[in-house]
Amino acid sequence: MKPAAARISRSLELLAGLALGLLLLAGCTTAPRHETNNRWATTERIIIPAQIISNFFVIACPASDGTTHHFIIDTGSTATLISPALAQRYRQKNPANKPPAKVKVRSASGGEIALEPVRLRRLPLGATAFENVPALLFDFADLSAHLGVVIDGLIGFPVFSDVLLTLDYPGARLVISPLPVTGAMRPTSPRSSTLIFSHEHPTPLISLQMGNESFIAQIDTGSDGSLNLNPSGLHPRFIQAPRAGTLISSLHGDRQQLTARLNQNVLLGNHLIERPIVDLSEQLSSIGGEFLRPFILTFDQRRHQVTFEGPARGPITMEPRRSTGLSFSRAPTTWRVLTVIPNTPAEQFSIKAGDLCVRINGELVKDWDYARYAVLVKSTAKITYTFLAGPKEIDLELPVFELVP
């Protein structure tokens, strides 16, 4: 009988068009489940600074040698992925003196890849560490280039099974605390909601309400999306019909994202999210970083509880999703066009998938990190892209529009 499967979240599926290895992070993927048995090396409350990069929750952990390690926190994953360089430094020696059998990792869409398992003596996170941590080796080079920061690992949900884990999106910080000795987490203010998540599932599943219908969704901090909604059995109403978005890549090939704004509100505990943007999915519904950004989330895995602390007043609203109609895969010196979104002004230009952009508004692409480019798209009416055309460079000025108003 095959071992039970573990999952890597749909994390990074929206980073469409990167190398196939990177795409394995797309969708909830599965690998043989390990008993965690990892041990928290301290018992004090620890605060680690974070960055929200393209809606991914990335923590920055100073190391003893003066370098800084960056990890994505992924509550949608039961597996922890580590770069070969970090594994070389912290892995336990293999007593058999031979490579361990590789582990098959399966995406939500069913594709598989084999990754090498390791066990880490220590997984250092700033002033604290977890010991005896099972992990899988993964090359984050493509993802690092895309995000503009070296990613050393993706930390799955089970690592934090014996601590209180807080992801503070507004405050850009991760807090690790000892579990309370007795009692359960309780809402600390009217803007807090404590929900039970399933103890039968290895990642947190909670109940949401859309109009008068309830559905189950995974809390997936390893996804940069909003509400990924599987409409099967539901009756969602949209302000406008779902339209094509960016290209989503997976192990079974590429598909066009369908996105829309609901004409219904969504309730998360006592938090009302007013007519959120959704991306339609055939997989398990989930809420990702775009949806979670207003919240402070605290997980107590021993009691299967999560508390959402939201804004002080009123419903939570989501800004329109703006775009030039192009999606890119980013490298240090060029941005490669992944797709030209159908039925957008970008279709009127001579741009096609694979074209290389070297400048934005006259500045080299290396000078445009995620945050700066996102501010530009939100605030300007037009963007000039410079593309390579053989030995020449061509400037094209594209309008910025509301892909989802």
Side-chain angles (χ1 to χ4, degrees):
M1 184 175 180
K2 292 184 179 180
R7 298 176 183 268
I8 298 172
S9 84
R10 73 183 75 227
S11 133
L12 321 178
E13 183 168 19
L14 298 181
L15 300 183
L18 300 185
L20 179 61
L22 173 58
L23 297 178
L24 281 172
L25 295 179
C28 300
T29 65
T30 64
R33 184 181 304 170
H34 299 276
E35 294 298 325
T36 55
N37 293 325
N38 52 271
R39 184 166 62 88
W40 189 29
T42 61
T43 57
E44 299 178 354
R45 184 172 182 264
I46 300 295
I47 298 175
I48 302 172
Q51 298 171 272
I52 314 303
I53 305 176
S54 184
N55 294 322
F56 295 114
F57 199 99
V58 182
I59 59 172
C61 302
S64 58
D65 61 0
T67 60
T68 298
H69 298 145
H70 293 90
F71 300 97
I72 293 175
I73 304 299
D74 189 353
T75 60
S77 173
T78 62
T80 290
L81 306 184
I82 294 294
S83 69
L86 200 67
Q88 183 67 29
R89 183 171 177 179
Y90 294 108
R91 71 190 299 172
Q92 294 179 357
K93 291 184 179 180
N94 181 7
N97 202 28
K98 62 180 181 180
K102 291 192 173 182
V103 172
K104 288 185 178 180
V105 176
R106 186 169 65 252
S107 73
S109 53
E112 290 186 342
I113 192 174
L115 297 178
E116 180 182 340
V118 296
R119 187 169 288 272
L120 306 178
R121 293 178 287 105
R122 287 172 57 84
L123 177 59
L125 301 182
T128 189
F130 291 86
E131 299 174 345
N132 193 34
V133 177
L136 300 172
L137 293 185
F138 189 82
D139 184 354
F140 289 93
D142 288 332
L143 175 58
S144 298
H146 190 85
L147 295 182
V149 61
V150 176
I151 299 297
D152 298 286
L154 179 148
I155 305 179
F157 195 52
V159 168
F160 305 103
S161 60
D162 293 323
V163 298
L164 210 60
L165 174 68
T166 298
L167 284 77
D168 182 348
Y169 279 88
R173 62 179 192 158
L174 182 84
V175 182
I176 303 173
S177 308
L179 286 169
V181 177
T182 60
M185 291 191 298
R186 298 182 183 279
T188 57
S189 72
R191 57 196 183 106
S192 296
S193 293
T194 296
L195 305 177
I196 300 296
F197 56 83
S198 171
H199 65 276
E200 298 177 350
H201 197 271
T203 57
L205 303 183
I206 60 172
S207 178
L208 302 179
Q209 187 169 334
M210 178 182 65
N212 59 2
E213 296 180 315
S214 295
F215 64 99
I216 298 298
Q218 181 186 63
I219 304 172
D220 188 359
T221 64
S223 166
D224 67 349
S226 175
L227 168 56
N228 290 288
L229 179 68
N230 185 332
S232 178
L234 301 173
H235 302 86
R237 301 194 305 271
F238 304 104
I239 293 177
Q240 295 177 345
R243 63 167 301 163
T246 188
L247 195 68
I248 302 281
S249 296
S250 71
L251 292 171
H252 282 300
D254 299 334
R255 65 178 176 83
Q256 201 80 44
Q257 177 194 52
L258 286 178
T259 186
R261 187 181 289 276
L262 286 176
N263 199 17
Q264 299 161 283
N265 296 330
V266 170
L267 274 177
L268 190 165
N270 59 17
H271 302 290
L272 187 146
I273 297 86
E274 188 173 55
R275 298 190 299 184
I277 292 174
V278 300
D279 301 310
L280 299 185
S281 173
E282 296 178 354
Q283 310 305 328
L284 175 68
S285 295
S286 66
I287 49 178
E290 185 180 4
F291 191 96
L292 297 170
R293 284 191 78 144
F295 294 104
I296 302 170
L297 290 76
T298 299
F299 294 91
D300 181 342
Q301 293 192 48
R302 187 169 296 175
R303 296 171 178 83
H304 307 287
Q305 294 179 330
V306 57
T307 292
F308 288 82
E309 185 174 349
R313 296 180 180 177
I316 295 170
T317 59
M318 296 183 65
E319 296 179 351
R321 190 176 285 177
R322 290 168 59 84
S323 175
T324 59
L326 301 179
S327 61
F328 294 97
S329 169
R330 306 179 188 205
T333 58
T334 58
W335 288 11
R336 180 171 60 87
V337 175
L338 296 176
T339 187
V340 179
I341 298 176
N343 304 313
T344 67
E347 279 194 318
Q348 302 172 14
F349 295 83
S350 57
I351 305 171
K352 60 184 184 301
D355 286 351
L356 298 178
C357 173
V358 294
R359 299 177 192 273
I360 296 173
N361 285 351
E363 298 182 47
L364 295 174
V365 293
K366 70 179 181 62
D367 296 324
W368 291 90
D369 61 17
Y370 249 115
R372 186 181 179 211
Y373 182 69
V375 169
L376 179 68
V377 173
K378 285 184 178 181
S379 61
T380 193
K382 295 180 180 180
I383 296 177
T384 298
Y385 298 97
T386 303
F387 291 95
L388 292 179
K392 300 180 180 180
E393 295 183 356
I394 297 177
D395 289 341
L396 296 176
E397 186 180 71
L398 273 67
V400 181
F401 63 98
E402 292 184 349
L403 181 68
V404 184

